[in-house]
Amino acid sequence: MNKFIAVLFALLASPAVAATGPFFSLRNTNFIVLLAFILFLAVLIYFKVPGMIGGMLDKRAAGIKADLEEARALREEAQTILADYERKQREVLEQSERIIAHAREEAILAGKQARKDLEASIARRVQAAEDQIASAEASAVREVRDRAISVAVAAAADVIAKNMTDQAGEKLIEDSITQVQNKLH
């Protein structure tokens, strides 16, 4: 049907309609051109050129459609990958924030622990210093007592030596020996 309409329009639009004289004569150039055109169209139809052109156009349309589908699939894949990377980026950002918060907490705890350790160390050093002071004080007190005892013994020895007679010394020695014997037996 389409072919018939195409031929009809070709005949109506040709200058052959406007020509004068017998149209169906081989001397009429318009008629010859019309016959050549119809013969040309017949050869094209005989060799199925419109079908080949239609097939090529269909192949081209199918190729374009396949390219569009592939582009659509690639676009969807790219959007999926982009969404995945954005999700991963958010997760990494959240994880880094958690790590930073945890590090801050650990730093605060470490600072508190260091402060406690420093206070304990200072307390130990103060205690050690107080112990050294007490030890030095006790040592000084012992030295003073020892010295006082030595001085007192020396003074007593001098006093006893001056006031002691030979008879009183012998009596003291005998009393001392008796006491030792009593304690040993």
Side-chain angles (χ1 to χ4, degrees), residues 13-179:
S14 70
V17 177
T20 58
F23 181 70
F24 295 105
S25 166
L26 290 177
R27 292 184 187 248
N28 189 347
T29 57
N30 291 340
F31 180 68
I32 297 295
V33 169
L34 178 64
L35 286 177
F37 181 70
I38 292 173
L39 181 66
F40 175 73
L41 289 178
V43 169
L44 289 179
I45 291 171
Y46 177 75
F47 287 113
K48 299 179 183 176
V49 172
M52 289 191 311
I53 291 173
M56 288 182 356
L57 289 175
D58 288 343
K59 283 182 187 177
R60 179 79 174 145
I64 291 171
K65 186 176 181 181
D67 288 345
L68 287 174
E69 288 297 323
E70 183 181 353
R72 189 173 294 121
L74 288 173
R75 184 174 145 244
E76 289 173 1
E77 183 181 346
Q79 286 177 340
T80 304
I81 292 171
L82 177 64
D84 188 42
Y85 280 123
E86 287 175 349
R87 180 184 51 80
K88 285 181 182 178
Q89 182 182 14
R90 283 191 303 270
E91 289 174 359
V92 167
L93 183 62
E94 290 171 1
Q95 184 179 10
S96 66
E97 289 173 356
R98 284 193 307 266
I99 289 171
I100 290 170
H102 183 67
R104 284 183 183 151
E105 291 173 4
E106 285 184 359
I108 290 170
L109 291 176
K112 289 179 181 178
Q113 185 62 38
R115 193 172 297 124
K116 287 180 185 177
D117 292 345
L118 181 62
E119 289 173 359
S121 174
I122 290 172
R124 281 193 307 272
R125 287 184 182 194
V126 166
Q127 185 62 38
E130 288 174 356
D131 291 346
Q132 282 180 340
I133 290 171
S135 174
E137 189 176 300
S139 176
V141 167
R142 247 191 331 266
E143 284 181 26
V144 168
R145 280 185 191 162
D146 290 345
R147 187 76 172 147
I149 290 172
S150 297
V151 169
V153 168
D158 282 343
V159 169
I160 290 175
K162 287 181 184 176
N163 291 335
M164 180 76 70
T165 62
D166 288 336
Q167 291 173 355
E170 285 177 14
K171 186 177 180 194
L172 279 175
I173 291 174
E174 286 178 14
D175 288 340
S176 298
I177 291 174
T178 312
Q179 283 179 1

